[in-house]
Amino acid sequence: MTKKVSEIFGCMVFNDDVMRERLPKEVYKSLTKTIATGKTIDASVADVVANAMKDWAIEKGATHYTHWFQPLTGVTAEKHDSFISPVGPCKVVMEFSGKELIKGESDASSFPSGGLRATFEARGYTAWDPASYAFVKDGSLYIPTAFCSYTGDALDAKTPLLRSMDAISTQGIRLLRLFGDTKTKRLTTTVGAEQEYFIVDKKMYDLREDLQFTGRTLFGAPAPKGQELEDHYFGPLKSRISAFMTDLDEALWTLGINSKTKHNEAAPAQHELAPIYATTNMAVDQNLLIMEYMKKIAEKHDLVCLLHEKPYAGVNGSGKHNNWSISTDGGKNLLDAGKTPAENAKFLLILAAIIKAVDDYQDLMRISVAYPGNDHRLGANEAPPAIVSIFLGEELDQIIKSIIDEKTYEGVRAGIMDLGIPTIPTFRKDTTDRNRTSPFAFTGNKFEFRMVGSSQNIAMPNTVLNTTVAESFRQFADILENADDFDVAVGKLLRDTFAAHSRIIFDGNGYSEEWQKEAERRGLLNLRTSVDAYKCFNDDKNVKLFTTHGVMSRVELESRQEIYFENYSKIINIEALTMIDMASRDIIPAVNSYLGEVANTAAAKMSVLPTVNCSVERDILTRLSELNAKAYRCIDELKAADKAATSISDVKARAEACCNSVIPAMNALREAVDEMETITSSEYWPMPTYSDLMFKI
Ligand code: ADP
Ligand code: MG
């Protein structure tokens, strides 16, 4: 790297420092207030901000601006307009108004709307999110925006997220007031998303239709070596990978993204990047940029970055550990256990609220990470299971147990405050014990939601976390605001909540068979597939939750559920068609050619020496011909299953058919093909193998 990191860091971001430097004092104050309180911005202020932004962006080489948004396609969208405005036949000036900054009109008709489009107009609009910084990239000023239909229904991932951030702030502040906090004006949730990914050589990638169309291998026998030696995890970086990571860091740093940690992951050719956490809406935007840049920069190095949850069967998949916490505008992390018993009471109450939220809305947690790619991880005996549970660590477990049993906590140190229960102990946070199998783990001063998939937008998981916890806060505040004796009420509330929801706490091995049984005994949900999960999305309790907090309306929820089902079927359909194509046009012909060679060899041998031993050729011919015939039959069966599924018009029934009949047909075809791969000459096999893909970089 030629320049100093401190010089390049954030140089392409219209961040707080730039705002302070470039905006008149009053305007700066007004804008930061807007950001801090989440309120809408004044039109006159917007004009001044727009002008300053434009001048700054032009200095950074921008000629265009774009409203950057997150439609429900899972990727971001942008449409660029130049700043130029004609002022004569051959003269232009560069202009950008407050109106253009705040609001953009866009044709919404080509984005998924889940039925909203049918009912309403096709036009949509984008609205500036001033709390996420604008930035310059590729000659354009990028303005992070929310995307709504013309009638104001959310068509994107960001709008509900911003609403959920308001909800948790509003309800959380009610609780803080009860604890005597009169200063805090806003709570924000913070997120640090650790991003896992695979890297593959571009030349190999280009030879794999499945990787190109679906992001994962649909065929592939295991390589002789997998991850069993555990020699890849934290191992030395290969030089090509290291060069890629260096470029990636530099690009992310210019965008003000705190890319902090990089290392090899468990599987061969798997890696991880962790940024330093940020306010949730900003963290979501940054994660989208991280994913975009991973792909872009990999290409510059003749590599391809695979963000799919399960590019290769049989080795670890990729997830995104979503570290989440709540903090006050004064910078205090509410998930930091306090030093005094009173602070601990507040901490325990917030903990209780989160435990209750996760237990009450296990289904929403599961839905927020449900899509076909992630089904290969969750419940497939790796990563976290599909059952949602919480890991707290031994000390918190003991404290909760003592509160439920009304017993004095053994580990008690100093200063005990009587809250109507025997003790609210002081304790130090316990960060030593980490359970890697838990879907939702407390790690000292934050929760780590580990079910999130590597390719997904993290907006929805965080929308669910914020909203469900806001609901616990709301219920708690309702009770405590009306209590005669606050301390007694807090004690009772803690005991009642822990007693009612301790079933969701589990510290054992989440991958084990016993846990499946135990979870069932506890009455926990086990939504194995995405389709199972989507079905619960619009249950009355969920509609009530989202509408109570103004996060999503019934129509918005219904539209999203439709998009979930539809998207699921589309992905499975593409995978099925890709398999059919590869098997029919590449694999079966390749195996036939090889069979031809084997037959010719045997015939040639026998023509010279009629009694020669041809048992190998015979055996190969028999086994491989049978498998090839089986694969051929499987193709027909898959075609039939796919055709039957895609002809179903009801979105839910179609997704069910994809899940229950197309996927099993895909699995059957894969099984036959993978077995053929192990006995076909590598010279004839029509594509790079798992060894090539994972080890030749
Ligand atoms: P690991 O979980 O791999 O041990 P760390 O504990 O260092 O790694 O942190 C993982 C991620 O959690 C980082 O992205 C970090 O910025 C983030 N993180 C740390 N504190 C918070 C917080 N208060 N809120 C949200 N994320 C946080
Ligand atoms: Mg982690």
Side-chain angles (χ1 to χ4, degrees), residues 32-40 129-131 159-174 176-177 181-190 279-281 326-334 466 473:
T32 44
K33 198 167 154 216
T34 302
I35 294 170
T37 55
K39 296 268 147 42
T40 45
D129 166 18
T159 306
L161 177 75
L162 292 175
R163 293 174 184 162
S164 76
M165 290 174 73
D166 281 344
I168 194 168
S169 177
T170 307
Q171 301 302 333
I173 293 226
R174 288 176 64 196
L176 293 190
R177 293 285 180 268
D181 176 340
T182 52
K183 281 209 208 82
T184 303
K185 290 207 175 56
R186 181 152 174 101
L187 296 183
T188 46
T189 52
T190 49
T279 306
T280 304
N281 56 326
I326 317 169
S327 132
T328 68
D329 47 11
K332 165 130 185 48
N333 181 352
L334 295 180
N466 293 344
F473 284 173

Side-chain angles (χ1 to χ4, degrees), residues 189-194 233-234 258 260-261 263 272-278 321-327 333 335-336 434 436 443 445-448 450:
T189 52
T190 49
V191 164
E194 301 164 62
Y233 192 57
F234 280 27
N258 272 300
K260 173 105 171 115
T261 318
H263 61 78
E272 181 187 290
L273 182 151
I276 294 176
Y277 69 95
H321 290 174
N322 187 94
N323 294 271
W324 175 94
S325 188
I326 317 169
S327 132
N333 181 352
L335 286 178
D336 253 331
R434 293 214 173 170
R436 307 310 293 186
T443 52
N445 59 1
K446 58 184 162 46
F447 274 97
E448 189 166 328
R450 305 203 181 109

Side-chain angles (χ1 to χ4, degrees), residues 117-161:
R117 191 167 58 233
T119 342
F120 303 108
E121 288 189 68
R123 275 182 304 167
Y125 68 86
T126 47
W128 179 35
D129 166 18
S132 189
Y133 298 138
F135 53 92
V136 168
K137 123 178 147 58
D138 307 325
S140 276
L141 169 67
Y142 279 70
I143 301 154
T145 56
F147 178 47
C148 299
S149 78
Y150 212 73
T151 42
D153 295 300
L155 292 175
D156 70 343
K158 191 192 259 279
T159 306
L161 177 75

Side-chain angles (χ1 to χ4, degrees), residues 332-644:
K332 165 130 185 48
N333 181 352
L334 295 180
L335 286 178
D336 253 331
K339 291 195 182 63
T340 65
E343 279 178 23
N344 279 337
K346 188 166 71 187
F347 166 76
L348 285 175
L349 200 65
I350 288 166
L351 192 69
I354 296 170
I355 292 170
K356 174 177 160 55
V358 174
D359 188 29
D360 285 343
Y361 298 100
Q362 299 161 44
D363 51 349
L364 286 179
M365 299 275 287
R366 173 69 181 89
I367 292 162
S368 77
V369 298
Y371 49 98
N374 218 14
D375 279 359
H376 297 286
R377 294 173 68 226
L378 307 176
N381 209 24
E382 75 148 290
I387 305 162
V388 176
S389 67
I390 301 181
F391 169 83
L392 292 175
E394 207 182 314
E395 182 152 36
L396 280 177
D397 279 350
Q398 292 303 322
I399 289 166
I400 287 174
K401 197 164 175 310
S402 73
I403 291 175
I404 295 174
D405 299 344
E406 303 187 57
K407 291 216 181 74
T408 307
Y409 170 58
E410 299 279 306
V412 109
R413 290 185 188 100
I416 293 165
M417 185 168 85
D418 191 358
L419 284 173
I421 47 172
T423 52
I424 290 287
T426 47
F427 51 86
R428 274 180 314 199
K429 63 187 180 192
D430 168 19
T431 54
T432 51
D433 190 4
R434 293 214 173 170
N435 181 334
R436 307 310 293 186
T437 68
S438 176
F440 195 67
F442 185 66
T443 52
N445 59 1
K446 58 184 162 46
F447 274 97
E448 189 166 328
F449 187 20
R450 305 203 181 109
M451 295 170 95
V452 182
S454 50
S455 71
Q456 80 172 104
N457 183 327
I458 56 173
M460 189 58 182
N462 288 299
T463 302
V464 166
L465 279 172
N466 293 344
T467 314
T468 55
V469 174
E471 173 60 15
S472 294
F473 284 173
R474 186 187 72 79
Q475 291 184 25
F476 284 8
D478 279 354
I479 292 170
L480 296 177
E481 280 168 359
N482 294 311
D484 294 330
D485 183 325
F486 179 70
D487 290 352
V488 172
V490 169
K492 179 168 174 351
L493 185 56
L494 282 177
R495 194 170 55 235
D496 291 351
T497 309
F498 288 140
H501 298 287
S502 60
R503 65 171 186 168
I504 197 78
I505 300 168
F506 175 66
D507 284 5
N509 177 5
Y511 302 167
S512 68
E513 191 67 36
E514 298 86 78
W515 171 231
Q516 306 265 334
K517 290 196 199 104
E518 166 70 10
E520 195 178 335
R521 202 184 53 72
R522 293 189 189 186
L524 299 179
L525 283 177
N526 187 358
L527 300 167
R528 284 188 185 79
T529 69
S530 294
V531 177
D532 290 339
Y534 301 151
K535 285 185 208 161
C536 310
F537 191 49
N538 287 337
D539 286 357
D540 287 344
K541 77 174 193 13
N542 297 339
V543 175
K544 187 148 178 270
L545 169 80
F546 285 119
T547 51
T548 300
H549 294 279
V551 171
M552 277 186 269
S553 66
R554 184 180 280 276
V555 221
E556 287 171 338
L557 289 164
E558 279 165 2
S559 82
R560 256 153 235 255
Q561 188 186 40
E562 189 172 322
I563 293 169
Y564 286 148
F565 280 130
E566 221 168 281
N567 196 42
Y568 181 91
S569 305
K570 280 181 188 163
I571 289 173
I572 302 301
N573 178 236
I574 292 169
E575 291 189 342
L577 294 180
T578 306
M579 281 187 108
I580 292 167
D581 193 59
M582 289 170 77
S584 325
R585 298 186 332 119
D586 294 330
I587 297 165
I588 294 215
V591 171
N592 272 334
S593 303
Y594 178 56
L595 285 170
E597 191 200 290
V598 177
N600 285 337
T601 307
K605 276 163 77 177
M606 284 194 295
S607 70
V608 179
L609 199 67
T611 56
V612 72
N613 183 340
C614 283
S615 61
V616 174
E617 290 82 358
R618 268 201 199 94
D619 193 45
I620 291 175
L621 283 173
T622 315
R623 283 170 64 198
L624 206 49
S625 299
E626 255 160 37
L627 281 169
N628 214 20
K630 187 171 156 198
Y632 194 76
R633 265 197 323 274
C634 287
I635 294 175
D636 279 345
E637 280 159 21
L638 178 54
K639 275 185 187 161
D642 188 58
K643 191 162 170 228

